[in-house]
Amino acid sequence: MGCKIEEFQQEQRKRIRAVQDSMDVLNGKWKIAIISSICCYGKRRFSDILNDIEGISNRMLSKELKELEINQLVKRTVLDTQPITVQYELTEHGDTLQTIISNLTDWGIVHRKKIVGK
Amino acid sequence: MGCKIEEFQQEQRKRIRAVQDSMDVLNGKWKIAIISSICCYGKRRFSDILNDIEGISNRMLSKELKELEINQLVKRTVLDTQPITVQYELTEHGDTLQTIISNLTDWGIVHRKKIVGK
DNA sequence: AATAACAGTAACACAGAGGTAACTAAGTAA
DNA sequence: TTACTTAGTTACCTCTGTGTTACTGTTATT
């Protein structure tokens, strides 16, 4: 049995690393907004997301969606319509972010009031 | 009374903006790890945080702590010791991040298993 | 024949995020 | 006198995240 304090410190270091793992996936100016947009509607087309998020360019949206796909948070489906449309939805794994998204939304509202004033 | 769909869309756009507000504060390679470190221990000194977070440099730690102070998430206290030590703790407002940190920690562990495999 | 919609891609540019290394200041211990 | 500790700061450099603009290919519409 090692020292209690050291054990505790190791435990905390692990937790810190875990938070960083999450943030690695969610970092970037647009990722959470994209997830949030898809999450709100269940399924969402490329151009809809483009429209949901103020200021994002199609280049960035395309790039970030690819990364989210690689990280298995988002699923891409091409629909056989004219013109072709592409639908994005959260994977089961992506769905597990709902609580975090929801908390971040609430916190963001409170924080803005706190800092900006109103 | 406007159209239901448009009202809903406006509502979602607000939520997306709120998430982005949160992320603006929490973005950066180290911020959440720093908050997490302070949060774990209640109070934490500069060199302790430096030691908690693998890979961070004193320059970055100093810079990020300043920003966190500006955003009223962290409080800095100089202790009258020899040599001088500086203690960081979360403000009341910073404390409200605990749920998010905790969720991100849990999610990070699950995500690593999912992606890396083990 | 020209234009529009959709879902991107390619080429280029640049600010700033982050890394590295050396330095400061004040006191303590060897 | 030299070296060590704490909590930073400063200068410099690199790289990458993001923005901008223009372009592709397919089909429908005018």
Side-chain angles (χ1 to χ4, degrees), chain A:
Chain A
M1 311 154 199
C3 172
K4 286 271 164 63
I5 296 170
E6 278 178 16
E7 267 174 44
F8 182 75
Q9 283 194 342
Q10 272 314 104
E11 186 58 31
Q12 299 318 312
R13 277 168 160 256
K14 269 187 204 167
R15 307 193 104 237
I16 291 170
R17 255 178 257 127
V19 180
Q20 285 182 305
D21 284 342
S22 294
M23 292 309 288
D24 283 350
V25 179
L26 303 178
N27 243 329
K29 194 173 173 182
W30 305 109
K31 286 220 187 72
I32 294 237
I34 294 169
I35 295 169
S36 185
S37 158
I38 298 173
C39 185
C40 290
Y41 291 95
K43 300 177 179 186
R44 205 76 178 138
R45 290 181 314 141
F46 188 86
S47 54
D48 289 331
I49 303 173
L50 208 54
N51 188 51
D52 288 337
I53 304 170
E54 232 178 274
I56 196 171
S57 67
N58 51 355
R59 186 182 100 93
M60 271 301 125
L61 180 54
S62 165
K63 213 182 133 198
E64 301 288 63
L65 280 168
K66 264 184 206 162
E67 276 182 54
L68 292 173
E69 233 191 310
I70 289 169
N71 280 304
Q72 299 175 36
L73 299 178
V74 156
K75 191 188 157 197
R76 198 184 93 115
T77 316
V78 181
L79 299 181
D80 193 15
T81 56
Q82 268 326 316
I84 273 175
T85 50
V86 179
Q87 200 172 66
Y88 291 90
E89 56 196 309
L90 295 188
T91 60
E92 225 175 289
H93 181 45
D95 258 327
T96 63
L97 281 170
Q98 280 211 29
T99 310
I100 290 170
I101 299 278
S102 165
N103 288 337
L104 283 171
T105 306
D106 297 344
W107 193 87
I109 292 165
V110 173
H111 179 69
R112 170 169 288 258
K113 275 183 195 149
K114 181 98 189 170
I115 298 299
V116 185
K118 220 238 98 180

Side-chain angles (χ1 to χ4, degrees), chain B residues 44-86:
Chain B
R44 205 75 176 139
R45 290 181 315 141
F46 187 87
S47 54
D48 289 333
I49 303 172
L50 207 54
N51 188 50
D52 287 339
I53 304 170
E54 233 178 274
I56 196 171
S57 67
N58 51 356
R59 184 182 102 93
M60 271 301 125
L61 179 54
S62 167
K63 212 181 133 201
E64 301 287 64
L65 279 169
K66 265 184 204 159
E67 277 181 54
L68 292 174
E69 234 191 310
I70 288 169
N71 280 305
Q72 298 175 37
L73 299 178
V74 155
K75 191 188 158 200
R76 197 186 94 116
T77 316
V78 180
L79 300 183
D80 194 14
T81 55
Q82 269 326 319
I84 272 174
T85 51
V86 179

Side-chain angles (χ1 to χ4, degrees), chain B residues 97-112:
Chain B
L97 281 170
Q98 280 210 28
T99 310
I100 290 170
I101 300 279
S102 165
N103 288 338
L104 283 170
T105 306
D106 296 345
W107 193 86
I109 292 164
V110 174
H111 179 70
R112 171 169 288 260

